Amino acid sequence: MPISPAARAEAAALQLIYSLPRVVRRLIAGRPIRLDGQELALDAQLLLRLQELSRIRMAGGDPVSARTRLARSQHAASGRRIEPVNVRELTINDDLPATLYTPGGLARGSGLLVFFHGGGWVIGSRESHDNAARYFAQRAGVRVLSVEYRLAPENPFPAAADDAVAAFDYAYAKAHDLGADPDRIAIGGDSAGGNLAAVTAQVVSRRGGPAPAFQLLLYPAVDVTVRRRSRDLFGDGFFLTDKDMTWYLNHYAPAGVDRTDARLSPLLAEDFSGLPPAYIATAGFDPLRDEGELYADKLREAGVPVTLSRQSDLIHSYVNLFGVGMRFREAMAEAAGALRMGLSGPF
C-alpha cells in the first residue's frame, strides 16, 4: 500500500523530533517517570508525550474506524522500508492471505518464522507489521511468513486461533516450496499475535506430529481471565490501556465464550511439557507484563528451555516503534538475535 503524503510528513516530523539533542527531548517528554522500581526510557516517554498531544488512540469506537486510524498512522514510527527483501504474496488453503519475506541473498533451506501481527485480534494487519517482518527476515537471516488471520468482531474466537494453526500446518507442508527447512520453523508474534503463537505451539504439540522448533513471544497476551498487578500499575498512560484491553477482548471473546479455554488463555493449559523452546520478551511498563512472565515460569517449570527478557524501560508495541529511538531498536535487535539462535540448530 502506498504511503500517503500526510503519513510521510508525520514520519519526517517524528524523525526530526527524535534527532533533537537529548536535553530538548527531555524537556518535551517531561520529568523522568519511575514506577515499580523501573525508569521509563526517554524514547518511550517522548513517544507517549507526542501521542498525548496528538490525542491519537488506536482502540475504541467502531472497529472499522479503528483500523482506519491505524492504517493512517502505522508508518510513522516503523521507519524506512527495509531492503533488500523479496516479497511474495500467497494464499493459505485458498482463503487465508499471507506474505512471504525473503531477505536478499538467502539460500534455500533456511529457517522460517510464521508471524502473527498484534492488534488485540481486532486491528492490525500484515501491512501494519510489514517493516517488523522485514526486520526479522534480514536481521535473523530467515524467511518470514506473515499471516492475515481473520479479525474480530466479524470473526470472533476461535477464528484467529484456527487460522494460526492452519498457517503453521501450511508452512510445514509447503516448506520446500517456500524455500525453508521444515525442521526449522518458528512461530511468533507480538501481543495478540504472541497469544496466537503460544496457542498454536500448544495445539500442534499436543496432537502429535510436526511442531514448531521455536517460539518468539513478544509481550504476549496469555490469560484473559485474571487482572494482575501490572494491569493496575500500567493500565493508563502507557500506550496500551486497561480500557483498550477490555475493548479488544469484548470483540474477540464476547459473552458466551469460555475465556478459560486454553486456545484463548494458554497460561491456563494443564500441561506445558514438550513445548518448543521459547524467547519471551515483556515490556516493563506494559499491562501484559506479569502474565507474560508467568507464562515463562510455566514453561521453565515444565522443563522447556526458555529465555525471559524483560525490557524494563519500554512500553507495549515496541515491535512497531523501532523506526524512532535507539532503545526500541535495541529491543528488536535482541529479539532477532534470539530468533537466529533459536533456529540455528541442530535439531
Side-chain angles (χ1 to χ4, degrees):
M1 180 183 298
I3 303 174
S4 69
R8 291 183 185 277
E10 183 181 356
L14 200 57
Q15 292 291 338
L16 177 61
I17 292 171
Y18 271 84
S19 69
L20 294 171
R22 180 181 176 85
V23 65
V24 179
R25 286 182 282 129
R26 172 53 70 192
L27 285 172
I28 297 172
R31 294 168 62 92
I33 295 176
R34 299 182 180 91
L35 189 58
D36 200 31
Q38 308 169 135
E39 181 173 325
L40 187 63
L42 175 57
D43 286 342
Q45 189 176 343
L46 179 59
L47 192 73
L48 292 174
R49 177 59 176 158
L50 296 173
Q51 181 191 34
E52 179 186 11
L53 293 172
S54 66
R55 297 184 179 181
I56 293 176
R57 180 169 169 244
M58 292 299 102
D62 171 61
V64 175
S65 298
R67 294 167 196 158
T68 300
R69 291 196 299 273
L70 176 60
R72 288 172 179 167
S73 62
Q74 64 195 14
H75 298 287
S78 61
R80 292 184 178 181
R81 181 167 292 170
I82 295 171
E83 299 287 4
V85 177
N86 180 65
V87 175
R88 173 184 159 198
E89 302 299 330
L90 51 84
T91 304
I92 296 170
N93 300 338
D94 299 323
D95 61 0
L96 185 59
T99 303
L100 179 67
Y101 296 85
T102 304
L106 184 65
R108 292 186 60 81
S110 71
L112 171 72
L113 170 66
V114 181
F115 183 76
F116 309 114
H117 65 79
W121 308 282
V122 177
I123 64 174
S125 64
R126 289 173 294 159
E127 181 66 21
S128 68
H129 286 62
D130 174 72
N131 229 25
R134 290 169 179 269
Y135 184 94
F136 285 128
Q138 269 211 351
R139 294 297 290 266
V142 300
R143 287 169 166 82
V144 176
L145 184 66
S146 183
V147 182
E148 197 78 58
Y149 58 86
R150 288 171 291 170
L151 297 178
E154 298 89 343
N155 300 281
F157 172 82
D162 290 344
D163 287 350
V165 172
F168 171 76
D169 289 342
Y170 173 90
Y172 186 87
K174 301 290 187 180
H176 294 298
D177 294 339
L178 299 174
D181 179 348
D183 293 324
R184 297 173 61 210
I185 297 177
I187 51 173
D190 70 306
S191 193
N195 168 277
L196 297 176
V199 167
T200 299
Q202 291 189 7
V203 170
V204 303
S205 296
R206 292 293 161 258
R207 73 186 182 191
F214 188 71
Q215 303 178 71
L216 184 76
L217 309 181
L218 306 174
Y219 42 88
V222 290
D223 184 6
V224 303
T225 68
V226 176
R227 184 185 186 92
R228 293 184 169 82
R229 179 170 172 269
S230 59
R231 183 163 176 174
D232 290 327
L233 284 174
F234 310 113
D236 185 34
F238 297 102
F239 196 82
L240 176 67
T241 69
D242 175 73
K243 187 175 181 180
D244 293 341
M245 293 172 67
T246 299
W247 184 83
Y248 288 131
L249 184 60
N250 285 344
H251 283 303
Y252 183 52
V257 169
D258 177 9
R259 294 185 176 183
T260 67
D261 190 322
R263 294 174 299 160
L264 178 59
S265 297
L267 183 64
L268 303 185
E270 295 182 359
D271 183 9
F272 294 84
S273 63
L275 292 177
Y279 168 86
I280 300 178
T282 61
F285 289 78
D286 183 355
L288 296 178
R289 184 192 70 187
D290 290 356
E291 62 192 76
E293 295 180 1
L294 283 171
Y295 197 73
D297 291 341
K298 288 283 190 179
L299 293 179
R300 189 177 295 112
E301 291 166 4
V304 176
V306 58
T307 296
L308 172 63
S309 178
R310 179 191 289 190
Q311 305 294 321
S312 62
D313 56 349
L314 291 187
I315 56 176
H316 191 83
S317 201
Y318 65 73
V319 160
N320 286 331
L321 306 176
F322 67 94
V324 294
M326 181 58 69
R327 187 62 193 90
F328 300 125
R329 289 193 284 274
E330 290 171 351
M332 280 290 281
E334 180 184 292
L339 176 60
R340 178 185 287 273
M341 290 291 292
L343 290 181
S344 63
F347 297 102

